[in-house]
Amino acid sequence: QVQLVQSGAEVKKPGASVKVSCKASGNTFTNSYLHWVRQTPGQGLEWMGIINPSAGSTSHAQKFQGRVTMTRDTSTSTVYMELSSLRSEDTAVYYCATEGSSSWFGNWGQGTLVTVSS
Amino acid sequence: EIGLTQSPGTLSLSPGERATLSCRASQSVSSSYLAWYQQKPGQAPRLLIYGASSRATGIPDRFSGSGSGTDFTLTISRLEPEDFAVYYCQQYGSSPLTFGQGTKVEIK
């Protein structure tokens, strides 16, 4: 079973960017698509996008068009999610999660709290 | 986008009782691509059910899922103390993937 370890909490000012990392253990990094999901008090759980760690291809929710970038580093089994033009509504816990045989999420990272505040 | 509405918002029950949680979709979920998760405070969600009715690895058989189309149900046959938590449904039949707003199962 793959384990996902995320980077630590961040505090950012409005308009800034944040980059969250998610490191996968084991040698299954390129075998499972990885998703980003965030959780806010107001919106609950919200899917942001998906990355294929093998090919590097991505797809994201229309809501985050132009603001989210997902990348990966196969040498370190790490994926990254960068969100730009931050606003207060982006304050949330951001999770990475691997999918199973379809897009349900069997393994989750521990979450990264991102706080956007002036 | 498929909207998911969970009911009730809060369920107050005692240990040993049966819990029935509902998840209704705004349009049909293809191939019963619906999952259920349990979340406790300070923790990531934990997968319970996928494919509407398949239990994830290690999930006790007191948890069961059913339904198709637009109506899905998660049943906990006899509540154990560790089952008091928030439960979410998620559809993965069409993009964007979406979640319900959650049902909190609390101790009565």
Side-chain angles (χ1 to χ4, degrees), chain A residues 18-91:
Chain A
V18 68
K19 192 170 186 177
V20 180
S21 69
C22 172
K23 183 176 175 60
S25 66
N27 59 0
T28 60
F29 177 68
T30 56
N31 292 349
S32 298
Y33 286 20
L34 196 138
H35 297 252
W36 289 93
V37 175
R38 75 179 187 179
Q39 187 167 31
T40 63
Q43 296 293 320
L45 289 163
E46 190 171 31
W47 177 75
M48 299 182 68
I50 179 176
I51 182 168
N52 175 344
S54 178
S57 53
T58 64
S59 178
H60 55 266
Q62 186 66 26
K63 173 176 181 175
F64 301 100
Q65 179 72 29
R67 289 211 299 145
V68 70
T69 304
M70 291 171 284
T71 56
R72 94 297 192 207
D73 181 343
T74 55
S75 68
T76 60
S77 299
T78 303
V79 296
Y80 300 90
M81 186 283 299
E82 184 170 21
L83 189 62
S84 61
S85 303
L86 289 169
R87 34 211 188 225
S88 59
E89 311 89 87
D90 294 318
T91 294

Side-chain angles (χ1 to χ4, degrees), chain A residues 35 37 39 45-47 61 95 102-106 108-109, chain B residues 35 37 39 43-45 47 50 88 90 92 95-97 99:
Chain A
H35 297 252
V37 175
Q39 187 167 31
L45 289 163
E46 190 171 31
W47 177 75
Y95 293 102
S102 190
S103 296
W104 40 266
F105 308 129
W108 295 69
Chain B
Y37 301 86
Q39 188 177 34
Q43 297 183 15
L47 177 70
Y50 62 93
Y88 295 94
Q90 176 232 338
Y92 51 97
S95 187
L97 311 182
F99 292 85

